[in-house]
Amino acid sequence: MHELIARMKIISDSRTRFRRGLGASLLPALCLTTSLALGADFGRVSGTVSDAQGNPLVGATVLITGPVLGAGSSLQPMLARILTDAHGKFIAERLVPGWYSLRVSSATRLPAQRNGVKVEAGQTAQEKFVLSDIFAPLRFQIPPANLTTWGDDWKWVLRTSASTRPILRFAEEKSQATTTAKAYNPPLPPGQKLIGMLPGSTRRGALEGDPGMGSVVAYSRLLSADSDFLVAGEMNADGSSASSLVTALRRNLIKGDPQELTLVVHQLSLGDGIPLIMEGGLEGQKQAQALSASYSHTRRLSDSITITTGMEFDYLNAGPGAMTTRPNAKVEYHKKGSSNTFAMRYGSSAGEGNATLMERVGDLTAFPRITLRHNRPQIENLNHTEASFDRKLGKSSHAGIAVYHDDFTNTAVWGVGQSGAVSWLAGNVLPNAHVNGVTLNAGNYNSTGLRATFIRSIGDHVEAAVVFTTGEALAVVPQESATDRAQGNLRQVLSNDRSQSVAGKITARIPVSKTQITTSYQWIQSGRVTGLDPLGQANLQLEPFLGIQIRQPLPTLAFLPAHIEALADFRNLLAEGYAPVTQGGERLILTPSYRSFRGGFSVQF
């Protein structure tokens, strides 16, 4: 018997020395891994592990999961293991700020897991774990707040003495901390990213011209833990609008208060020999250069209030230059745990900071619509003011209402007609090479109205939205004799009328083929040649009349390790909204939306 006890003591001492040695070898490995992280500010997690009687547990394993930076300075979920020391203590240093999960286990003990551990720059998160004996008799256990053995989904667990598996569980609603932790996604893609896009569709802003098809190459690279740099180039497929070169820098994406600075250089086409007023008389010009710059800064003033400010600048160099400067600001109030969100905004910036790389490039490479006014180039401009209220209605739907006011300058109206139909608008007509039509300058007007939205998720693969909007739009007035119309003045045939629109949108994803189909229809009153609330419609990605978009992922090719997606985009399929204007026996058609089809492929590496 004495010999057996002596052997058991030798085995116990060997295990203790092995655990200490393992802890001494793994802790430097963890420090080496985290030392690869780039960025100025880090946090750490420390704590203790003990048994039910308060005795420290030596050699307990602590697994830490979170957005740890790995080699190559790429954000990716990683798993770190730490062993407690002789006092039952552990510490993990140089952690990227974010949400982490901790799981603690020890021989003959029931494991414990804690989610939603927040690590902040320059701060230490303190955690305490108490592990129960696995051989305890059958018992009904209610763990302390934020501490469960099987995850935050279980409020209590009924266990057996012979197994760690629960035999009965009671589920409660997820806590706010759990929801936040599981909803946390690093805002940056892992590593480097390259996109090559053949003729296809990208998301556009409220007043930007739509070139129809373009080829894009974009490259995004992480500069540090919370900053990235984007460079992209675009060239129109039919060569009518030359190219654009984009550079964009974002920083403070993880630490908070994100900032973004962008600069875009455009080479644009104004058509074939457009007459412009130059020094010494009229002169034709086919090409023009343009510059776009923007800056935005989001700052969280408190847990409930977020403010975003910025500036947008557009310059057109086409003989006589044209320039617009648009400040923008947004204040959002959302109380933690509340279903309500209040927001006030000024300016036309539609960026929300969570767009994909393809959408970011599409927003940046778009230039506002250009018109002519008395043979001088002008840039269409919009100043948008809005107050909105949104409320979540359960887990699958939310509703919102907004009151807005829009001030339009040098409003662009699309038209189709022979040269004789637009001769009376000489000096205010710019050919639109993309659709074989014309762009007309309709002057200035304003609109005040209301927008109501309801969005609901149906299952995991379908989302439906309904939008109702009121406001003012430009509409064709009843026909008058040609002699009563002022030469070159389009507003003689247009009036600012009170209008309404109703839109519905359904987005569905087929699980097996992963095909995404988006169908939308926006009804606009007859005779209207401009839409209502263009900024609100752009944020909801709605187009006038019937539109269908199909996106189909294609199988990955062995020699091309990339994600390939085919796209087909149909707009105004039924050719609705065409309003005729007759002048001198010639017919000019005005419309808020051309009928168009676009298709192509996107290749993402």
Side-chain angles (χ1 to χ4, degrees), residues 172-214:
E172 69 171 356
E173 290 188 1
K174 298 177 182 179
S175 66
Q176 181 69 25
T178 302
T179 303
T180 304
K182 292 189 175 182
Y184 172 80
N185 290 312
L188 299 176
Q192 303 171 357
K193 207 163 191 178
L194 176 68
I195 285 184
M197 190 172 66
L198 299 177
S201 173
T202 59
R203 178 173 176 263
R204 297 289 175 176
L207 295 180
E208 281 73 14
D210 189 356
M213 297 185 295

Side-chain angles (χ1 to χ4, degrees), residues 72-188:
S73 69
S74 60
L75 270 176
Q76 51 186 331
M78 291 185 64
L79 186 68
R81 291 179 174 86
I82 305 175
L83 299 181
T84 57
D85 60 14
H87 304 286
K89 297 181 180 181
F90 67 93
I91 184 170
E93 301 187 58
R94 293 183 63 81
L95 299 180
V96 176
W99 296 97
Y100 289 79
S101 297
L102 277 69
R103 180 178 175 84
V104 182
S105 60
S106 180
T108 73
R109 302 287 173 178
L110 293 173
Q113 179 165 323
R114 188 168 303 168
N115 297 330
V117 177
K118 186 176 182 180
V119 174
E120 297 179 319
Q123 303 294 323
T124 301
Q126 299 283 348
E127 301 294 332
K128 182 179 181 180
F129 292 87
V130 178
L131 303 186
S132 302
D133 188 356
I134 195 174
F135 299 106
L138 180 69
R139 67 191 185 282
F140 178 82
Q141 177 186 353
I142 302 179
N146 296 328
L147 172 61
T148 66
T149 306
W150 299 96
D152 290 340
D153 291 345
W154 314 121
K155 185 177 180 180
W156 51 259
V157 181
L158 182 63
R159 310 182 188 283
T160 63
S161 60
S163 174
T164 60
R165 295 183 179 275
I167 61 175
L168 183 63
R169 298 173 177 174
F170 173 80
E172 69 171 356
E173 290 188 1
K174 298 177 182 179
S175 66
Q176 181 69 25
T178 302
T179 303
T180 304
K182 292 189 175 182
Y184 172 80
N185 290 312
L188 299 176

Side-chain angles (χ1 to χ4, degrees), residues 525-602:
Q525 286 180 267
S526 177
R528 272 58 180 177
V529 297
T530 59
L532 297 173
D533 184 28
L535 180 63
Q537 307 305 310
N539 288 337
L540 294 168
Q541 300 188 41
L542 288 172
E543 293 289 335
F545 311 113
L546 179 61
I548 300 176
Q549 186 183 93
I550 303 173
R551 308 181 78 98
Q552 176 61 60
L554 301 180
T556 302
L557 303 176
F559 63 88
L560 185 63
H563 174 72
I564 306 175
E565 186 178 69
L567 179 140
D569 189 6
F570 304 85
R571 298 189 179 183
N572 196 6
L573 266 177
L574 304 180
E576 298 178 89
Y578 292 140
V581 174
T582 303
Q583 173 72 20
E586 298 285 350
R587 200 180 193 195
L588 172 64
I589 305 296
L590 304 180
T591 178
S593 176
Y594 288 117
R595 182 182 184 181
S596 64
F597 163 72
R598 301 183 297 179
F601 297 90
S602 65

Side-chain angles (χ1 to χ4, degrees), residues 375-437:
N375 284 316
R376 290 183 178 274
Q378 302 291 340
I379 300 176
E380 184 180 25
N381 192 25
L382 165 63
N383 283 324
H384 179 86
T385 306
E386 175 183 307
S388 63
F389 169 76
D390 289 275
R391 179 177 177 84
K392 293 186 63 176
L393 305 175
K395 297 181 179 179
S396 59
S397 60
H398 64 91
I401 188 169
V403 179
Y404 70 90
H405 178 79
D406 288 337
D407 284 316
F408 297 91
T409 306
N410 294 304
T411 307
V413 175
W414 286 327
V416 179
Q418 301 297 326
S419 58
V422 295
S423 59
W424 61 286
L425 294 172
N428 297 300
V429 180
L430 186 64
N432 190 329
H434 305 294
V435 294
N436 197 26

Side-chain angles (χ1 to χ4, degrees), residues 466-582:
V466 179
V467 183
F468 172 76
T469 309
T470 66
E472 283 80 27
L474 293 182
V476 176
V477 300
Q479 292 296 301
E480 301 173 353
S481 63
T483 56
D484 294 333
R485 294 174 181 165
Q487 185 72 14
N489 190 353
L490 181 63
R491 290 305 300 271
Q492 293 293 314
V493 299
L494 299 177
S495 63
N496 194 13
D497 288 357
R498 193 69 185 172
S499 307
Q500 295 83 35
S501 75
V502 179
K505 176 182 175 182
I506 296 178
T507 301
R509 181 181 292 275
I510 302 175
V512 178
S513 64
K514 298 182 180 179
T515 306
Q516 179 175 308
I517 302 175
T518 301
T519 303
S520 64
Y521 183 85
Q522 183 182 29
W523 171 81
I524 299 177
Q525 286 180 267
S526 177
R528 272 58 180 177
V529 297
T530 59
L532 297 173
D533 184 28
L535 180 63
Q537 307 305 310
N539 288 337
L540 294 168
Q541 300 188 41
L542 288 172
E543 293 289 335
F545 311 113
L546 179 61
I548 300 176
Q549 186 183 93
I550 303 173
R551 308 181 78 98
Q552 176 61 60
L554 301 180
T556 302
L557 303 176
F559 63 88
L560 185 63
H563 174 72
I564 306 175
E565 186 178 69
L567 179 140
D569 189 6
F570 304 85
R571 298 189 179 183
N572 196 6
L573 266 177
L574 304 180
E576 298 178 89
Y578 292 140
V581 174
T582 303

